[in-house]
Amino acid sequence: MSGDLSLDINIKEPRWDQSTFMGRAQHFFFVTDPRNILKSSKTLEDARVTVENYRLGVVRPGLTEDELWRAKYIYDSAFHPDTGEKMVVVGRMSAQVPMNMTITGCMLTFYRTTPAVVFWQWVNQSFNAVVNYTNRSGDAALTTNQLAAAYVSATTGAVVTALGLKSLAKRLPAVMSRFVPFFAVAAANCINIPFMRQRELKYGIPVTDENGNRLGESVTAAKSGIIQVVVSRIGMAVPAMALNTERRHCKPCVLHGLLKLWFDKTSHLSFSLVFATPLCCALFPQKSSMTVSSLEPDLQERIRQNSPHTTTVFFNKGL
């Protein structure tokens, strides 16, 4: 060891207890911190080197425990947990607040004409597609053709569904129509996420034992993870839809009014998203688990043969 810091710190796991909601919330407040997207490439690389070297038993002289954890959370915010690859900036969870603030603010402001609605729905679903692919589970890459097909099917299906449900608002009583935008967002998430992660539903995602030893790939685990992610994303949409319900009938008539309305909405929205994003990510552990008996029969048999004492498997559900 080339430093004084103990090698007994388990940085493979988050700093806080992930079996509790509060522990997961503390973890995700750091991971989703919007300031993380402002980190320079050098800062990200230094964090990666610090974390990966520590895992190999190499400690930089003078490194403190707090500095190690800080490096880990910078690393976690920018690098995929399964592949180790640097994630595209707009796809990182730390970009959720500024990106959603901008897109949703525009969706709430420029909703009068059908072309504007279609355009901003497409922008929104394209952003969601990037996030869903970036935060997928597993380490298997998609080919360019597979990725393009997933993107087209996800965005088209989600936009058509959202617009179709939105049109219902015109034929429903005022009280009921207020909830249509929320159901439209929920339905769009139910389409976008599975389409962008369709490879997982076809081939499965890696499952491991408690020590991280890979036991195989499970479609059942993939379905469970995707359902949890859909629920979390719908939860993240609640603040925006609540804002929409309160303010959707505002009618700015000049440019000044439009700008004032946009900043008014985005300021309220950003405040809500700062809390909604980490809290909804924390609804379920990112490292999920399920019993071996819940897996596919052939995988159950394989695990019983190769790891007879394993009763529970673990997997990254994605975000």
Side-chain angles (χ1 to χ4, degrees):
M1 187 172 87
S2 57
D4 297 327
L5 187 63
S6 169
L7 289 174
D8 295 331
I9 302 171
N10 183 15
I11 61 170
K12 291 182 179 179
E13 301 293 337
R15 191 171 193 174
W16 293 277
D17 182 7
Q18 296 300 283
S19 66
T20 68
F21 175 77
M22 288 306 299
R24 295 194 296 271
Q26 287 178 290
H27 167 70
F28 282 112
F29 266 111
F30 277 85
V31 173
T32 66
D33 187 339
R35 293 174 296 180
N36 288 332
I37 63 173
L38 301 177
K39 304 293 185 185
S40 66
S41 296
K42 183 181 184 304
T43 300
L44 296 179
E45 182 61 19
D46 288 345
R48 184 189 68 80
V49 170
T50 297
V51 169
E52 292 184 354
N53 281 349
Y54 184 85
R55 290 173 177 171
L56 295 174
V58 179
V59 180
R60 171 171 55 80
L63 182 69
T64 66
E65 182 174 349
D66 283 341
E67 289 174 337
L68 175 63
W69 282 112
R70 192 176 305 117
K72 173 190 164 48
Y73 275 100
I74 292 174
Y75 175 86
D76 285 351
S77 74
F79 294 87
H80 193 278
D82 293 329
T83 66
E85 297 175 349
K86 185 188 290 186
M87 297 182 286
V88 62
V89 174
V90 297
R92 300 172 192 170
M93 294 308 293
S94 52
Q96 281 284 297
V97 172
M99 291 299 295
N100 272 322
M101 179 184 72
T102 302
I103 294 172
T104 307
C106 289
M107 289 175 68
L108 294 177
T109 302
F110 305 106
Y111 66 90
R112 291 178 174 279
T113 66
T114 299
V117 171
V118 171
F119 174 76
W120 286 109
Q121 279 287 355
W122 171 76
V123 171
N124 184 46
Q125 294 307 324
S126 294
F127 167 65
N128 287 339
V130 172
V131 173
N132 295 335
Y133 177 73
T134 302
N135 294 279
R136 68 196 183 280
S137 175
D139 51 11
L142 289 176
T143 66
T144 302
N145 288 340
Q146 289 173 328
L147 184 57
Y151 167 75
V152 171
S153 55
T155 54
T156 302
V159 168
V160 169
T161 300
L163 291 176
L165 287 175
K166 188 178 180 64
S167 68
L168 288 177
K170 300 175 182 178
R171 300 191 294 271
L172 293 175
V175 174
M176 295 180 63
S177 67
R178 288 178 175 231
F179 296 96
V180 170
F182 173 75
F183 288 118
V185 169
N189 274 307
C190 291
I191 293 173
N192 197 314
I193 295 172
F195 268 117
M196 288 306 299
R197 295 177 59 175
Q198 58 186 273
R199 190 190 186 286
E200 300 170 35
L201 295 173
K202 185 175 182 180
Y203 299 105
I205 58 176
V207 294
T208 68
D209 62 18
E210 59 182 1
N211 298 315
N213 299 309
R214 193 161 175 162
L215 302 173
E217 287 73 38
S218 170
V219 171
T220 302
K223 292 177 181 178
S224 174
I226 288 174
I227 289 172
Q228 292 176 35
V229 170
V230 168
V231 172
S232 295
R233 294 291 185 78
I234 292 174
M236 290 181 200
V238 170
M241 293 304 102
L243 183 64
N244 185 37
T245 297
E246 292 296 324
R247 302 169 183 269
R248 63 184 300 188
H249 298 298
C250 293
K251 298 181 178 181
C253 55
V254 294
L255 180 60
H256 175 74
L258 281 172
L259 291 174
K260 184 177 184 301
L261 177 64
W262 189 86
F263 282 113
D264 181 41
K265 290 178 178 179
T266 53
S267 63
H268 286 80
L269 181 62
S270 61
F271 179 79
S272 300
L273 286 172
V274 165
F275 292 94
T277 300
L279 293 178
C280 289
C281 283
L283 290 176
F284 308 97
Q286 183 169 0
K287 184 179 179 181
S288 294
S289 63
M290 61 181 6
T291 61
V292 171
S293 60
S294 300
L295 301 172
E296 301 89 320
D298 59 331
L299 182 56
Q300 289 184 40
E301 183 61 29
R302 205 183 324 153
I303 292 174
R304 291 193 183 101
Q305 291 179 358
N306 299 329
S307 184
H309 300 296
T310 298
T311 57
T312 303
V313 297
F314 301 87
F315 56 93
N316 169 29
K317 71 173 178 61
L319 289 174

